[in-house]
Amino acid sequence: MDFTRKTCLVGDGHSTPTPSVSTYVGVVSRETVRIAFTYGTLNDLEVFAANIQNAYLQALCSQKCYTICGPEFGAKNTGKYAIVKRSIYGTKSAGVDFCNHLCDCMHHLGFESCLADPDLWMHPAIRKDGTAYYEYLLLYVDDVLAISEHSTEMLRQLGKYFQLK
């Protein structure tokens, strides 16, 4: 055990102007989750869940943010300005920054978003017996539900972009 600690830096989103566009992260609907569970059960598919660790820190920050370093940044950095490169909790654009980054990764993995529920991602696949079916990833902010004959492989592919637990 090395006693490494994590810190949570939070932006002062309450002190910035309200954006003109929505900055919320989408969530998959309850109805979509129920249908997906039914689909998985009827087709004898695996269902696995995962969580994307430090979700917002994965995306680049679209806002121009900085901080004035305190003593927690080390004696030689105290009082200096530091530019924030990654999205942090509390900024008004953090949710949409992460959502855009996640969408780019999903497209890169070959998934397409469903028109009826944009947080349901699908990918055509072939079962071991040769029949065609769809694999699904359902996204609820930083939570992922994989429904496939090879759910663990799907999560392993997503794990190349994000640290999952």
Side-chain angles (χ1 to χ4, degrees):
M1 187 163 32
D2 67 0
F3 295 104
T4 300
R5 303 241 193 277
K6 284 174 54 174
T7 184
C8 182
L9 301 176
V10 180
D12 277 339
H14 67 282
S15 64
T16 60
T18 302
S20 59
V21 295
S22 174
T23 59
Y24 293 104
V25 180
V27 295
V28 67
S29 73
R30 280 183 298 192
E31 292 79 13
T32 300
V33 174
R34 288 181 184 141
I35 292 168
F37 276 138
T38 303
Y39 172 82
T41 301
L42 292 175
N43 291 289
D44 197 28
L45 301 175
E46 298 175 345
V47 177
F48 281 91
N51 177 273
I52 298 172
Q53 292 184 321
N54 302 317
Y56 286 5
L57 295 177
Q58 306 291 329
L60 294 175
C61 186
S62 64
Q63 290 179 304
K64 292 184 179 182
C65 298
Y66 72 92
T67 187
I68 301 171
C69 298
E72 64 273 13
F73 288 89
K76 74 176 196 174
N77 293 320
T78 301
K80 292 183 179 178
Y81 288 84
I83 297 172
V84 177
K85 296 271 190 181
R86 295 287 176 174
S87 191
I88 57 174
Y89 295 95
T91 59
K92 292 194 176 172
S93 67
V96 75
D97 290 342
F98 171 68
C99 186
N100 290 338
H101 179 62
L102 184 57
C103 290
D104 289 343
C105 293
M106 295 300 291
H107 285 296
H108 190 267
L109 290 171
F111 283 85
E112 290 297 321
S113 181
C114 177
L115 293 176
D117 189 337
D119 295 301
L120 170 67
W121 292 80
M122 51 195 164
H123 180 267
I126 304 293
R127 294 180 68 113
K128 291 177 188 172
D129 63 8
T131 58
Y133 77 107
Y134 276 92
E135 299 175 316
Y136 293 102
L137 282 175
L138 292 77
L139 305 175
Y140 192 99
V141 186
D142 61 351
D143 295 315
V144 181
L145 191 65
I147 300 176
S148 170
E149 192 171 50
H150 310 286
S151 292
T152 53
E153 175 61 24
M154 288 173 54
L155 292 176
R156 191 181 67 72
Q157 292 294 323
L158 189 60
K160 291 179 181 178
Y161 296 92
F162 303 101
Q163 186 175 357
L164 302 176
K165 61 177 178 179

